[in-house]
Amino acid sequence: MSRRHPFLLLVLARMRELMREPEVVFWVFIFPILLAVGLGIAFRNKPPDEIVVGVVDTAGSGPILAALTPAGGFAVEAVSAPEAAKRLRLGKVSLVVVPGARYEYRYDPTRPDSVLARQKVHDALQRAAGRADPIEVTETLITEPGARYIDFLIPGLLGMNIMSGGMWGVGFLLVDMRTRKLLKRLIATPMRRSDFLGAIMTSRILLVLAEMVLLLVFGRVIFHLVIQGSLWTITLLAILGAFVFAGLGLLVASRTARIETASGLMNLVMLPMFVFSGIFFSSDRFPAAVRPFVKALPLTALNDALRAAILEGADLPSQIGRILVMLAWGVLAFVVALRIFRWN
Amino acid sequence: MDIAIRCRDLRKVYDGKPPVEAVRGLDLEVRSGECFGLLGPNGAGKTTTVEILEGILDPTGGEVEVLGLRWSGDHAGLRERIGVSLQETRLSEKLTVEETLELFGSFYRKGRPAAAVMEEVGLTEKRRAWVMKLSGGQRQRLAVACALVGDPDLLFLDEPTTGLDPQSRRSLWDIIRDLRRRGRTTLLTTHYMDEAERLCDRVAVVDHGKVIALGTPAELIASLRGEHVVEFAVNGDAGAGAGAPGDSGGGSIAGAPAATPAPLDPQSLLGVSSVKSARAESGSILLTVDEPHVAIPALLERLGREGHSLSRLTTRHASLEDVFVALTGRHLRDE
Ligand SMILES: Nc1ncnc2c1ncn2[C@@H]1O[C@H](COP(=O)(O)OP(=O)(O)OP(=O)(O)O)[C@@H](O)[C@H]1O
Ligand SMILES: [Mg+2]
C-alpha cells in the first residue's frame, strides 16, 4: 500500500479542519470583504455636496440671494435671525450671512464644511459686486485611482488578516491542542515535530495566499483597484507576513496551558497594532515622537510594505528596511518560541 | 523470559506549592506477551507512571527500560514500536474516523491500513463520520485504534474502558485478548476489578505511588487467606436505641436477658472456624473464609447463642476489591 508522507497528511488535516469550521471561513474570507464594502461605501470619494447657506431675511438680502445661485453650487435658505442661529448650531447650514453695510459671516472655524462655505460664499459675493480676478486659470480635474480611501484600505485589511489569522491560527490552535492533550498524544507517536510545525506554517501560508487573491480580485472587480506592483512582490510580502505572525502566535502559545490566558495574551499583542499600525488610517498621523516605535511594529512594516507594493509598485529591494523589521520579529519569535515550547 | 518493561525505584515529583509526590519508588517488571494491569484508586500515580514509561514525562528519579531500550537512547526507534492511548485525549473534532487513522498511521514506518484497524475495533460503519459525532464508546475505540495503527509490540492503555457500557467494554477486552494471542504486550490501567481479573495475566496494585501487591489475580485473591466473603448484618446491632426502656415490642418477652444483646464485635468472630479475617463496614460485617459450608453453620450457631438475629447474609467469591480493602482499609473507588 502506498503511503502518503506525514507532512502532506498533516497539511491536509489542517486545511480540512479549517474549511469545516464555519467561523474560520467567516472571519478569514467573508469578514474582510464585508469591512471593505462597508467602509468603501461610507468613505467613497464623491463631489462635494451643495453648500447650504442661511441668509438672514432682512432689508438688503436681495443682492446676496441673487449672487448665491444653484448653478454656483449653493442652496440658500432665507430665514429669521433666531432661526438662522438655530440651524447653524444644528449643522443644517454651513454658514449664515447677515446683510448690512458690512456683511457678517457667522460660522464655526473647526467645521471643514463651514470653512469651505465661507471661502466659496465670499468669492461669489465679491465677484457679483464686481471684483475682477487678475490671473487667468484653467482647471484640469483628475480623480486618481490609488488615492481613494478604498485603495488605502484594502492593503491594510490584508495586513490585518495576516496578523489575526497568524495569531489565532497558530497560537490559539496550539493552546487548544495542548488543553485537549492532543499535543501530548502526537508526541507519543514517531511523528517528527518539524513536520508538525512545518505543516501548520504551510497551511497558514496557503490560507494567506487565498485571502490575498480574494481581497485583490474583489478590490479590482468591485472598486476598480489598480494593482501597481508585481504579484510576486506582493505574494512574497504576504508570505513573509504569515511567517512573522505565525512566529508570534507560536511564541504566545509556547507555554500557555489555558485558552483564556492565550486569548488575553493575543489581544495584548494585537491591540496596539490594530490601533497604531495603519489599518484604517495612516500611522503617519501619530506624533513624531512615537513614530519610531510605531514603525518598529511588525504590522506597521507589513502594512506599509503592502501599500507601497500594491499602490505605488515598489519592489522588494526598495523596501529592505521594512523587510528587515519583519524578519527580525519573525526570527526572534521563532527562536525563543522553539526554545521554550512545551509539548506536554 | 523476555522483559518488556522494567523500572526501578521510579520517582516523580510535580513542582508546585506544595510539590506533589505522585510516584514514590515504584518497581515494575512486565513480561513480553502478557497483559499487565495497574490497579489503584484515583491519584495513586498510575497515569504518571504510564506516561513516564511512554517517554512523554521525565521521571524525577529511577531507571526505566522499555523493550530493552532507554528513552534517552533510541528515542525514535522506540516510538515506532509502542502504541499509546492516553487517559482523555480529545482528537480533532472535524476529521473523520478514517482521516484520523490515516494521519496517525502515516507517522509509523510500518503503519497499518486504516481500513484494517477500523474493522478490528468495529468502526467501519463510522469511517466517514466526524469525530465530534461519535459516542463516548466509539471515541474510546478510536483512541485505541490510533494506538493500534502503528502495529506496536507494546501497547499502553490508560483507562481504556472508563465510562463504557458493558458491551463496549467487552468488545475492547476482545481486542486486547486478540493482541495477546498475537504475542503483543499490553500495559493497562483500570479502576475495574472485574476487568483486571478477567483480562490481566498479572496485576500490580498501586497506592500512594508505590506497588503494594503484585501477582496474578488468583494469587492476590489467595493471599487474602480466605477466598470467599461472607457478608451479614444482625438486627438491632447498629441501632443504639434498640435496648432503650419502654421500647420493648409487644411480642418480646419483657425482662428476658437476651433481649438486649451486647453489640457484635467483628474481632470476636475470628474464633469461628474457617474465618480468616473480619471487619465491619457500613452496618454490615464482612468475613473472609476458606470454607463457607463450615463457617456459616458455626456463625449461625454463635449468633443464636448470643441472642443476635440475622437480617441479611450473602456469600461471594473474594475479588481484587477485597484484596485492596484488606491491604489499605479503603475502597478502590470511593463513591
Ligand atoms: N501535571 C500535574 N501537576 C501536579 N500534580 C499532578 C499532575 N498530574 C498529576 N498530579 C498529581 O499526581 C498524583 C497522581 O496522579 P495520576 O494522574 O498519576 O493518578 P492516577 O492514578 O492516574 O489517577 P486516576 O485514577 O484518577 O487517573 C495526583 O495526586 C495528582 O493530583
Ligand atoms: Mg490516571
Side-chain angles (χ1 to χ4, degrees), chain A:
Chain A
M1 178 182 154
S2 78
R3 230 155 232 301
R4 277 181 287 181
H5 193 277
F7 174 77
L8 284 181
L9 282 175
L10 281 164
V11 174
L12 204 59
R14 187 72 204 114
M15 295 311 284
R16 280 176 173 147
E17 275 185 276
L18 283 171
M19 293 305 147
R20 289 170 188 177
E21 203 73 66
E23 295 93 321
V24 170
V25 174
F26 174 79
W27 287 109
V28 170
F29 296 115
I30 302 183
F31 179 68
I33 297 289
L34 287 181
L35 257 188
V37 171
L39 294 172
I41 290 173
F43 295 100
R44 72 190 180 282
N45 293 44
K46 54 188 178 194
D49 293 327
E50 55 189 5
I51 294 165
V52 186
V53 184
V55 177
V56 176
D57 198 7
T58 54
S61 65
I64 299 175
L65 296 175
L68 302 178
T69 59
F74 298 103
V76 180
E77 298 173 1
V79 287
S80 68
E83 179 65 18
K86 185 175 153 203
R87 303 199 130 236
L88 182 63
R89 196 174 65 242
L90 295 176
K92 299 244 166 92
V93 299
S94 303
L95 177 81
V96 170
V97 184
V98 186
R102 287 169 78 100
Y103 291 166
E104 182 189 350
Y105 299 145
R106 291 186 184 155
Y107 66 102
D108 177 350
T110 65
R111 272 172 59 186
D113 62 311
S114 298
V115 176
L116 181 70
R118 187 235 170 250
Q119 220 63 3
K120 293 267 188 187
V121 167
H122 186 66
D123 280 351
L125 291 180
Q126 296 294 348
R127 285 206 193 102
R131 182 181 84 183
D133 294 329
I135 300 173
E136 296 265 331
V137 296
T138 52
E139 295 185 23
T140 311
L141 302 179
I142 297 164
T143 307
E144 189 87 66
R148 303 165 305 168
Y149 181 63
I150 189 71
D151 301 312
F152 179 86
L153 185 64
I154 283 187
L157 287 180
L158 180 57
M160 175 185 84
N161 243 25
I162 292 175
M163 171 176 76
S164 47
M167 300 291 290
W168 288 104
V170 176
F172 190 83
L173 171 79
L174 287 173
V175 175
D176 185 48
M177 288 178 93
R178 185 179 289 126
T179 60
R180 285 157 51 200
K181 307 229 174 108
L182 191 48
L183 273 188
K184 203 186 219 180
R185 178 65 188 88
L186 287 173
I187 60 155
T189 71
M191 179 193 76
R192 290 214 307 254
R193 294 172 193 196
S194 54
D195 278 350
F196 175 73
L197 292 177
I200 290 178
M201 282 299 299
T202 305
S203 63
R204 263 312 295 155
I205 287 171
L206 291 176
L207 213 60
V208 160
L209 294 182
E211 277 170 37
M212 181 189 83
V213 168
L214 183 76
L215 261 175
L216 291 183
V217 167
F218 172 82
R220 180 93 200 77
V221 171
I222 305 293
F223 287 108
H224 310 292
L225 174 75
V226 178
I227 298 161
Q228 307 278 359
S230 91
L231 278 179
W232 283 118
T233 304
I234 301 167
T235 303
L236 287 175
L237 286 172
I239 291 177
L240 178 60
F243 162 78
V244 172
F245 289 104
L248 289 173
L250 187 70
L251 185 62
V252 163
S254 56
R255 293 199 148 219
T256 313
R258 282 158 34 99
I259 288 286
E260 294 82 359
T261 319
S263 27
L265 274 177
M266 277 188 292
N267 284 327
L268 194 70
V269 172
M270 291 198 288
L271 194 67
M273 288 193 267
F274 272 124
V275 176
F276 290 113
S277 288
I279 298 170
F280 301 104
F281 55 89
S282 169
S283 58
D284 293 335
R285 292 208 183 182
F286 291 100
V290 299
R291 226 171 290 154
F293 299 101
V294 170
K295 292 285 177 201
L297 293 173
L299 185 60
T300 315
L302 177 62
N303 280 345
D304 288 354
L306 284 172
R307 265 189 200 115
I310 294 173
L311 304 181
E312 296 158 32
D315 57 7
L316 289 177
S318 67
Q319 305 219 58
I320 190 70
R322 291 165 184 156
I323 291 173
L324 285 178
V325 168
M326 283 191 269
L327 273 178
W329 279 102
V331 170
L332 193 74
F334 265 99
V335 168
V336 175
L338 289 178
R339 200 158 269 232
I340 66 173
F341 197 83
R342 270 227 177 107
W343 289 87
N344 53 17

Side-chain angles (χ1 to χ4, degrees), chain B residues 246-281:
Chain B
D247 192 35
S248 48
S252 67
I253 305 154
T260 53
L264 195 55
D265 173 17
Q267 297 313 310
S268 71
L269 297 172
L270 284 174
V272 176
S273 63
S274 184
V275 171
K276 298 300 176 190
S277 75
R279 65 175 197 276
E281 193 182 291

